[in-house]
Amino acid sequence: MSTTKTIQSALISVFSKDGLEPIVRQLHQQNVTIYSTGGTEEFITNLGIPVVPVEDVTSYPSILGGRVKTLHPKIFGGILNRQDNASDVAEMKDFEIPQIDLVIVDLYPFEKTVASGASEADIIEKIDIGGISLIRAAAKNFKDTVIVASVNEYALLLDLISTQNGATTLDQRKLLATRAFHVSSNYDTAIFTYFNTDDTYFKVSMANGQVLRYGENPHQKGFFFGEFDKMFTKVHGKELSYNNLLDVDAAVNLILEFKDNDPTFAILKHNNACGLATRTTMKEAYLAALAGDPTSAFGGVLIANGTIDEATAHEINSLFCEVVIAPNFDEKAIAVLSEKKNRIILVQHDVALPQRQVRTCLNGLLVQDRNNVTDSKSDLKVVTHTAPSEQETADLLFASKICKNTKSNTIVLAKNSTLVASGTGQTSRVDALRQAIEKAHSFGFDLQGAVMASDAFFPFPDCVEIAHNAGITAVIQPGGSIKDELSIDFCNENKVAMVFTGTRHFKH
């Protein structure tokens, strides 16, 4: 039997009628018998095209307030029968079941209804039963039946029936079945997620992955699954790479800590801040951030918590950077920054970030809550005789925000709302501190009066001793070591202020 099938009959039952008219007209032109229900039947009738009500096939009206319309053996038999199976062919004749070659159906908008804040009763009514059953039946029987389960496939279907005179190949039907099973699985996942209260279950369904030039390295394939256009408006530049997206993610998470602060500018490289400063103007903030590490800033990702104006743009323009992000840009600033054709310019929208973080691990996944704790003044417990000054307290909290968003083990040194230097991703906290001190000195920073933040406790007093010798006068750390007193004693003996937060900020 030929694997090419010509559509002679179609069942059409959709919630949204957008884009349906050209398909219906083409089917009618090809003398396809059309079956339909309710609002779709009325829509087709209003086009002046003959349509057979499903009730005429089943001899049953739509019942239970529309909950049951298509759930009937004569409908599902017409979809699921195997045309190369003699028994099926005989039963179709005995029970007078009409053949259905094409099913066009969509599903009630469950996710949109949930997102709208509707009542549970309204949400429950948007759990589709007939539609999901039709999709699964037609997709299962793709050898003989064409399934179109989404408006996203209308263009493909119209092209097939127009250019192939209503015929489809087995490969084409299998492709549409695959996409239909995505629709059904995504729908079921959304329903499960709505009901689920057990954190030991994890389901996710995402579609339309963006193909990237490559992954982390050129020999690796890379894809992005997400709604990038909801988070950003891309106004200029080349396509973002896998590594660009990782840096943009790090930048967005970092600047969120400073969302309500005075003008703040950050420069990131390999997911870590290499410059960050808060000032009275964005231009001053940028210049101060750049001074933190002008070497690492080359090829970095830049982000601001406010409008980037023309003056700031002119300063940025002299730096080679991959991406510039801000919630707003002056028109003249965009013109200046667009002078570099490959530079990516992103306008960031105020969109909530996922509250779960997921990464692959071994032969499975690790899932955790987002770290939503930002250390505040009320969290600080002064554990030394010397308390930090008002300026030191502000700098300690400033440094803590950066530390939270820097790869562990990390030490952050700050002074006057400026990232002076950081030690990132080191195997020991002492190494991280020494790296930070060396970087600060290499760029001419005076560490006298600077503060130090650590993402985790000090198991020994060596770090506070090294910091004190470098000029550090105040320290912020979570505390919790069995040898905390050794660090506290050293600070007391040398009049260094130290505060505990009680919250560790590892970032691996």
Side-chain angles (χ1 to χ4, degrees), residues 202-430:
F202 178 77
K203 295 181 187 292
V204 64
S205 177
M206 304 185 79
N208 304 317
Q210 178 185 344
V211 180
L212 304 174
R213 294 197 300 275
Y214 50 79
E216 204 160 8
N217 298 290
H219 62 278
Q220 296 170 269
K221 291 182 179 180
F223 306 87
F224 172 71
F225 291 87
E227 297 177 297
F228 187 85
D229 291 341
K230 281 190 176 181
M231 286 204 65
F232 304 99
T233 297
K234 181 169 170 283
V235 297
H236 182 75
K238 63 182 180 180
E239 293 301 314
L240 283 91
S241 70
Y242 183 98
N243 292 329
N244 286 156
L245 289 167
L246 286 174
D247 283 332
V248 168
D249 177 71
V252 166
N253 281 282
L254 175 59
I255 208 67
L256 186 62
E257 306 283 350
F258 300 89
K259 181 179 179 180
D260 299 320
N261 288 50
D262 287 340
T264 300
F265 208 105
I267 304 172
L268 290 90
K269 196 74 171 289
H270 298 298
N271 305 168
N272 294 313
C274 58
L276 194 151
T278 298
R279 293 292 186 273
T280 56
T281 70
M282 198 59 75
K283 176 182 174 180
E284 293 171 335
Y286 167 71
L287 292 173
L290 179 63
D293 188 345
T295 301
S296 296
F298 182 85
V301 169
L302 282 57
I303 190 166
N305 71 344
T307 300
I308 292 182
D309 54 22
E310 183 183 12
T312 308
H314 278 297
E315 296 292 344
I316 294 171
N317 212 30
S318 62
L319 174 72
F320 169 71
C321 57
E322 292 273 352
V323 187
V324 183
I325 311 166
N328 194 28
F329 293 82
D330 289 349
E331 287 187 17
K332 291 182 178 179
I334 290 178
V336 171
L337 294 172
S338 298
E339 290 175 5
K340 305 293 173 65
K341 70 175 184 177
N342 287 330
R343 179 182 286 148
I344 300 164
I345 303 173
L346 300 176
V347 178
Q348 182 182 351
H349 308 309
D350 191 8
V351 175
L353 296 173
Q355 291 304 301
R356 286 288 182 88
Q357 295 175 320
V358 184
R359 64 196 298 183
T360 59
C361 180
L362 301 176
N363 61 349
L365 300 173
L366 285 173
V367 181
Q368 69 169 353
D369 293 337
R370 179 182 177 81
N371 182 0
N372 284 322
V373 175
T374 297
D375 298 327
S376 64
K377 192 172 182 178
S378 61
D379 298 318
L380 305 185
K381 177 184 178 182
V382 179
V383 295
T384 51
H385 299 323
T386 302
S389 67
E390 187 174 339
Q391 180 61 56
E392 286 173 332
T393 299
D395 283 340
L396 288 170
L397 294 173
F398 175 90
S400 174
K401 292 176 180 180
I402 302 171
C403 195
K404 169 188 168 183
N405 289 276
T406 305
K407 294 288 185 182
S408 299
N409 284 325
T410 185
I411 291 289
V412 169
L413 306 181
K415 185 177 180 180
N416 297 326
S417 299
T418 305
L419 170 60
V420 173
S422 59
T424 64
Q426 299 302 303
T427 52
S428 81
R429 208 158 300 281
V430 170

